Amino acid sequence: MDNSSSPFILGLTGGIAMGKSTVANWLRQLGVPVLDSDQVVHDLYNGGAAVGPVDAAFPGVAIDGAISRPELSKRVVGNPEALRLLESIVHPLVAAEKALWLAAQAAAGQRLVVLDIPLLYETGAEADCDAVAVVSAPAEAQRARALARPGMSEGKLAAMLARQVPDAEKRRWADFVVDTGVPLEETRQHVVSLVEALRGRQGSKFRRIMAEAQALKAAGAAAEAATEANGSAAAAAPADGSAAGAASSEQQT
């Protein structure tokens, strides 16, 4: 794969009620493909590839062919070992879906693509991005927006913010900051300018992501083949230790 087919990967992130979804929609309107990581997980849990292995690890969490998030939460919340097990199942599946999506965008000739990842810095996903744009707003604006949402409370907001990297840290680490605390049209123009600037850039992370995806696929195929081979060997062996039993009987006679 030559470099000309490697799209520039922009990571898009931001805390709750910062306006990230609005920015993502503007990017789509500008013709930039956006992969919503939350939607990827939703699809994997609802009839997707995660249902079988997650239900095998946490029996009973699958209901009518889909993972029940409330039931799954009961198993993993407050249980670090269970959470690590869940992540070990889901993260490779998400990575595979991301690689497929990126490959499709590259094949379509897209020069700029966006990975919309709410917990980008929290999960180390910036490693897969050529640059990161953080959507940000003043703390008082964020709080007002969040508390205006149905079902939101001061306590719930505080708990959510505690799980996220502070906005000041994200702003410092980001390559670009999209300020949604200014008039809407000013923010939108910033997004337009950002797209115009990045469409001409050459990406460097795409090739590594594709190589890692191929390696994971090959490892999975090898593991599956080994499992099948072990199953065939077990089926061919004498059942119930009959060979050992016969030898023991001969020695006793």
Side-chain angles (χ1 to χ4, degrees):
M1 182 179 294
D2 59 43
N3 287 334
S4 64
S5 62
S6 300
F8 187 92
I9 302 173
L10 176 67
L12 181 69
T13 192
I16 180 175
M18 287 298 196
K20 181 176 61 62
S21 295
T22 297
V23 172
N25 286 333
W26 284 339
L27 289 165
R28 292 186 179 97
Q29 291 170 12
L30 292 168
V32 180
V34 179
L35 180 66
D36 183 337
S37 62
D38 280 349
Q39 186 62 48
V40 170
V41 175
H42 176 83
D43 292 343
L44 287 170
Y45 280 3
N46 287 269
V51 176
V54 171
D55 191 54
F58 305 96
V61 299
I63 301 174
D64 296 329
I67 297 298
S68 168
R69 286 183 180 253
E71 288 299 319
L72 183 60
S73 294
K74 294 176 184 176
R75 308 290 187 88
V76 301
V77 172
N79 187 335
E81 184 176 345
L83 183 59
R84 282 193 294 271
L85 173 58
L86 176 64
E87 290 174 344
S88 72
I89 296 169
V90 176
H91 284 184
L93 296 175
V94 172
E97 292 297 321
K98 177 177 65 180
L100 286 173
W101 183 84
L102 287 170
Q105 303 312 313
Q110 294 290 347
R111 303 298 302 125
L112 172 64
V113 298
V114 172
L115 301 180
D116 178 351
I117 307 175
L119 298 178
L120 183 143
Y121 285 119
E122 292 83 348
T123 59
E126 72 274 16
D128 287 340
C129 304
D130 292 299
V132 173
V134 166
V135 182
S136 179
E140 59 271 19
Q142 178 190 29
R143 180 176 176 278
R145 293 172 187 171
L147 292 176
R149 295 182 176 183
M152 185 60 69
S153 66
E154 292 276 6
K156 187 174 181 180
L157 176 60
M160 295 179 73
L161 291 175
R163 294 195 297 269
Q164 298 180 355
V165 171
D167 182 58
E169 293 288 306
K170 292 177 183 175
R171 292 173 67 99
R172 189 168 73 251
W173 296 339
D175 299 283
F176 308 98
V177 176
V178 179
D179 187 356
T180 62
V182 299
L184 200 62
E185 186 52 37
E186 185 176 336
T187 303
R188 190 179 188 285
Q189 188 53 51
H190 184 184
V191 174
V192 171
S193 299
L194 180 61
V195 169
E196 291 174 349
L198 294 182
R199 271 196 168 130
R201 291 197 183 183
Q202 177 65 52
S204 63
K205 299 300 179 72
F206 175 79
R207 292 167 64 86
R208 176 182 58 76
I209 293 172
M210 292 298 102
E212 290 176 353
Q214 287 297 323
L216 282 173
K217 185 176 180 180
E224 184 176 346
T227 299
E228 291 178 356
N230 289 337
S232 299
D240 302 323
S242 56
S248 176
S249 296
E250 290 175 359
Q251 291 174 359
Q252 292 175 11
T253 56

